[in-house]
Amino acid sequence: MKPLPKRSELPKEQTWNLEALFPSEVEWQKALEEAMGYPEEVGRFAGRLGESAKTLLEALETYHERMLLSMKVFQYASLQRATDGTNPAFSRMVGEAQSMLARLATAGAYLEPELLALGPERLEAFIREEPALEVYRHYFEALERRRPHVLNREVEAVLAAASDPLRGHSATAYAATNADMRFRPVEYRGQSLPVSHSTIGELLVHEDPEVRKAAWASYADGHLAFKNTLAQTLQGSIKSYAFLARTRGYGSSLEMALAEGRTSGEHIPKVVYDNLLAIFQENLPTWHRFWRIRRRALGGRLYSHDVPIYDAPAPLVPSPRITFWEAAEAICRGMAPLGPEYVEPMRRGLFEERWVDWGQNQGKRPGAFSSGLKGTYPYILMSWSDDLFSLSTLAHELGHSMHSYFARQSQPIVYANYSLFIAEVASNFNQALVRAKLLEEAKTREERLAVLEEAFANFHRYLFVMPTLARFELQLYERIEQGGALTAPFLSERLTELFAEGYGGEVELDKERFGAGWMHFAHLYTPFYVYQYATGIAAANALARKVLREGEPAARRYLQFLKVGDSVYPLEALQIAGIDMTRPEPIEEGFAALKAMVDELEGLVG
């Protein structure tokens, strides 16, 4: 491993094509200045929605179009910051774009109260008078279901204006984690290996256990240096959301998250959340068995005691080396059951249009994500290592990006996004199909074990870490809602207790450093997001089995699911694909898939 290059030193092919969004920062600045006038354009319809069907249509189209243009301004700044958090210019750009968006949201705060004041009968009459309003029918219906929680125009304006400062906690955490946090390098055979958010994944599967141990300790200690600051930012974020839930008249933060989510209305029944946590706890013995098998396999070579926590992700066999371009080809082969309608645009994004920013550089934020808007590329950020784990991450993010591609191609602006609840279905579906192809192509025991190692890493994150974080998060919100407070010691102790239950005594925990794990997950700043990873992987594996078993009919249903965006409620979208998430069976199928892999692992390692 070499010292990380500066952002400017990366080859162009390892970076995404932001020039397709704005040719230069000069053009971005012009777009920002133009967006400053959008609040006035949107605000001129205030108090006028009931004038006529034509006025209502013009108001809605103006708001959604101006919001889309403004979001593109924000996206460019946000994507730049994601690749180099040390550049203060990018942080300034994000702050300017956020302020602009807050002003636009404030100017449009009258929309929902005025729409509700018109009432369903008046809106229906307007739809008959102006057929172009028909596209907003689902939006109107979803808004009507939220009527008890939409406040008057003045209060909605205040909440919209407060959205920027209320998000300040996550911005502070982002700056502390990605700009100010430092990690000790790891010494290895006379070399100094840099520890960073973009290299930690590679170091934790290094062939030398001492490198794994030192990297894990360095990463934990870097976070622990900010434990009190980050405890306060997380507490502030939770208090902000709890305040909004209380102000809108919800019984709890969880109730609001299940009802509203990120869109105009999620309407996820609480039974979905409850099913996940209950079935997860029922299946903890499967995870305990998995850790026993790994302890036995690793113990035979290295240890006579519990697997140390830093070796939990250590591979039983080394991953084959695979370049970004080889992985891209493998993913295209794996997704072939969906046909050229899916594979061809994905191939263009990988090989021609530069959707993916995959190089490692100083200041790049940790993890991976897909981000885009109607009319833009569905960009992907990740940090590439030449292994199956990076292939899996790329397949995952391409699932998000292709979901975005189809939804934005098929839906008008108002429905061009999709619920977070179904987002993790598409991403995990890709991993499941690609994994099946890799297992089919595996020629040796070692190759099969390597693919299973990737699968367990994926299932560990989504059906072990994320449900545990969901239990943790729920307890944090309940503590705040009951008047309690969050401190770094409490957060670390509670997180360690929950994970210790999941490890079942089979993994040796360094409690202080392991307890720092709550600082690793920016997901906690998006309320009640983590549980959706677990429901997503369960639904994804059920759908992948349908496609592999049934072929074209199931593939056709799945593609239709990708295209509906926000035009239906998320549970209805999954029903189009053939999954009913109000029932326990999809979650149980996810754990059945895990159990089958544990059985195979035991057979392979003895």
Side-chain angles (χ1 to χ4, degrees):
M1 296 176 64
K2 300 177 181 178
L4 290 175
K6 296 179 180 178
R7 177 67 183 175
S8 59
E9 296 171 343
L10 282 185
K12 186 176 183 178
E13 65 269 17
Q14 295 184 18
T15 66
W16 46 27
N17 182 9
L18 292 192
E19 296 82 9
L21 194 54
F22 289 102
S24 67
E25 288 184 29
V26 172
E27 294 300 316
W28 176 86
Q29 189 68 41
K30 290 179 182 177
L32 174 65
E33 292 169 2
E34 184 176 346
M36 295 297 186
Y38 294 163
E40 183 178 352
E41 294 182 39
V42 168
R44 67 188 177 90
F45 294 98
R48 298 176 51 208
L49 298 191
E51 283 184 2
S52 68
K54 182 179 179 181
T55 300
L56 175 59
L57 177 64
E58 187 179 357
L60 290 170
E61 289 180 342
T62 299
Y63 176 77
H64 287 292
E65 288 168 3
R66 298 301 181 266
M67 182 59 76
L68 176 61
L69 292 171
S70 299
M71 285 299 300
K72 288 180 181 178
V73 172
F74 172 77
Q75 184 191 33
Y76 180 85
S78 178
L79 294 182
Q80 291 280 36
R81 185 181 69 172
T83 58
D84 190 358
T86 64
N87 189 329
F90 296 153
S91 294
R92 171 187 56 79
M93 290 164 64
V94 169
E96 291 173 347
Q98 284 179 327
S99 296
M100 174 269 297
L101 280 172
R103 288 196 293 272
L104 180 56
T106 302
Y110 65 87
L111 277 168
E112 293 191 349
E114 285 194 28
L115 286 168
L116 287 171
L118 291 175
E121 293 182 3
R122 187 84 177 278
L123 288 173
E124 185 64 36
F126 276 170
I127 291 173
R128 289 196 298 269
E129 181 181 338
E130 175 53 77
L133 283 170
E134 177 65 37
V135 73
Y136 292 99
R137 182 182 294 277
H138 174 69
Y139 170 71
F140 295 156
E141 177 191 318
L143 178 60
E144 181 63 28
R145 293 181 70 168
R146 289 174 50 228
R147 178 182 287 276
H149 307 290
V150 176
L151 307 172
N152 64 50
R153 173 181 167 181
E154 290 74 18
V155 176
E156 288 292 346
V158 170
L159 293 179
S163 63
D164 189 21
L166 287 175
R167 284 195 300 263
H169 307 289
S170 60
T172 302
Y174 188 101
T177 304
N178 298 301
D180 297 337
M181 198 172 283
R182 297 291 181 268
F183 306 100
R184 295 186 306 275
V186 172
E187 300 304 318
Y188 176 65
R189 295 182 180 177
Q191 298 180 356
S192 185
L193 307 182
V195 178
S196 71
H197 298 305
S198 60
T199 62
I200 187 62
E202 188 173 356
L203 290 167
L204 288 178
V205 294
H206 194 280
E207 62 182 2
D208 189 324
E210 292 305 314
V211 169
R212 299 196 292 268
K213 179 179 181 179
W216 184 82
S218 171
Y219 197 67
D221 290 347
H223 284 83
L224 284 169
F226 287 80
K227 63 182 180 181
N228 295 314
T229 298
L230 292 176
Q232 290 303 304
T233 59
L234 182 57
Q235 175 174 257
S237 178
I238 291 174
K239 282 187 173 182
S240 296
Y241 195 76
F243 160 74
L244 290 174
R246 187 168 59 251
T247 301
R248 292 198 176 279
Y250 286 100
S252 68
S253 299
L254 175 61
E255 183 183 336
M256 183 167 83
L258 294 174
E260 296 191 10
R262 188 175 62 179
T263 63
S264 59
E266 304 286 87
H267 303 296
I268 306 297
K270 189 171 179 290
V271 67
V272 175
Y273 189 89
D274 293 340
N275 279 343
L276 170 68
L277 296 192
I279 295 169
F280 167 66
Q281 289 180 260
E282 289 170 7
N283 281 274
L284 281 178
T286 298
W287 280 114
H288 298 164
R289 179 174 164 236
F290 168 72
W291 295 115
R292 279 197 299 275
I293 294 168
R294 285 189 62 83
R295 178 165 61 85
R296 191 163 66 243
L298 286 169
R301 295 184 309 171
L302 302 172
Y303 304 105
S304 58
H305 51 73
D306 295 348
V307 176
I309 186 59
Y310 58 82
D311 259 340
L316 299 177
V317 295
S319 170
R321 307 299 289 178
I322 183 167
T323 68
F324 175 85
W325 306 110
E326 290 168 339
E329 289 288 0
I331 292 168
C332 289
R333 292 196 305 274
M335 301 310 298
L338 294 185
E341 183 181 4
Y342 189 96
V343 176
E344 288 178 4
M346 182 176 69
R347 179 177 286 278
R348 287 198 308 273
L350 286 165
F351 291 96
E352 300 172 26
E353 296 172 347
R354 285 175 43 226
W355 292 0
V356 188
D357 193 288
W358 54 274
Q360 295 185 6
N361 65 264
Q362 298 175 27
K364 192 170 186 178
R365 62 148 280 180
F369 64 74
S370 170
S371 174
L373 299 161
K374 189 174 177 66
T376 77
Y377 290 146
Y379 292 105
I380 293 170
L381 178 136
M382 64 177 298
S383 294
W384 186 263
S385 302
D386 288 339
D387 56 31
L388 282 174
F389 302 101
S390 283
L391 181 153
S392 178
T393 298
L394 179 58
H396 180 100
E397 298 305 331
L398 281 166
H400 287 310
S401 286
M402 293 306 297
H403 194 175
S404 300
Y405 173 86
F406 282 109
R408 291 162 191 163
Q409 290 275 330
S410 306
Q411 297 297 329
I413 296 173
V414 65
Y415 304 131
N417 290 318
Y418 46 81
S419 163
L420 284 177
F421 184 81
I422 59 176
E424 297 304 330
V425 176
S427 54
N428 282 281
F429 176 89
N430 274 32
Q431 288 172 289
L433 272 196
V434 172
R435 186 179 303 124
K437 186 64 175 178
L438 292 174
L439 286 170
E440 178 187 312
E441 294 176 346
K443 296 181 176 62
T444 66
R445 169 185 175 275
E446 286 69 26
E447 289 177 351
R448 196 165 187 88
L449 264 177
V451 176
L452 284 176
E453 287 278 68
E454 175 281 317
F456 284 123
N458 184 225
F459 273 70
H460 172 251
R461 184 170 178 84
Y462 289 90
L463 273 188
F464 181 79
V465 172
M466 293 303 177
T468 303
L469 284 177
R471 297 175 67 195
F472 176 69
E473 179 182 36
L474 180 61
Q475 292 178 15
L476 302 189
Y477 274 90
E478 289 176 342
R479 186 178 179 91
I480 290 296
E481 289 166 346
Q482 292 165 9
L486 305 181
T487 64
F490 168 79
L491 291 167
S492 295
E493 289 169 12
R494 191 66 196 112
L495 187 75
T496 302
E497 290 171 0
L498 289 171
F499 271 101
E501 181 183 344
Y503 286 122
E506 303 295 338
V507 175
E508 179 189 358
L509 299 179
D510 176 335
K511 292 185 178 180
E512 182 181 13
R513 285 173 168 150
F514 183 82
W518 57 270
M519 292 179 266
H520 300 180
F521 294 95
H523 311 70
L524 294 174
Y525 290 89
T526 302
F528 299 99
Y529 180 19
V530 292
Y531 89 93
Q532 297 170 84
Y533 281 98
T535 55
I537 194 174
N541 278 270
L543 289 173
R545 285 195 294 275
K546 287 178 182 291
V547 169
L548 293 173
R549 185 171 60 245
E550 300 174 22
E552 195 272 337
R556 187 171 60 250
R557 292 195 302 270
Y558 181 76
L559 288 172
Q560 183 57 33
F561 154 73
L562 296 182
K563 294 175 182 177
V564 297
D566 270 337
S567 66
V568 299
Y569 297 117
L571 293 189
E572 293 175 3
L574 285 170
Q575 287 167 355
I576 290 171
I579 293 290
D580 182 358
M581 290 303 293
T582 64
R583 299 189 57 77
E585 286 82 2
I587 307 297
E588 291 169 345
E589 282 192 55
F591 281 100
L594 171 67
K595 184 178 182 299
M597 290 193 300
V598 172
D599 290 342
E600 181 169 5
L601 176 68
E602 188 166 35
L604 288 171
V605 302

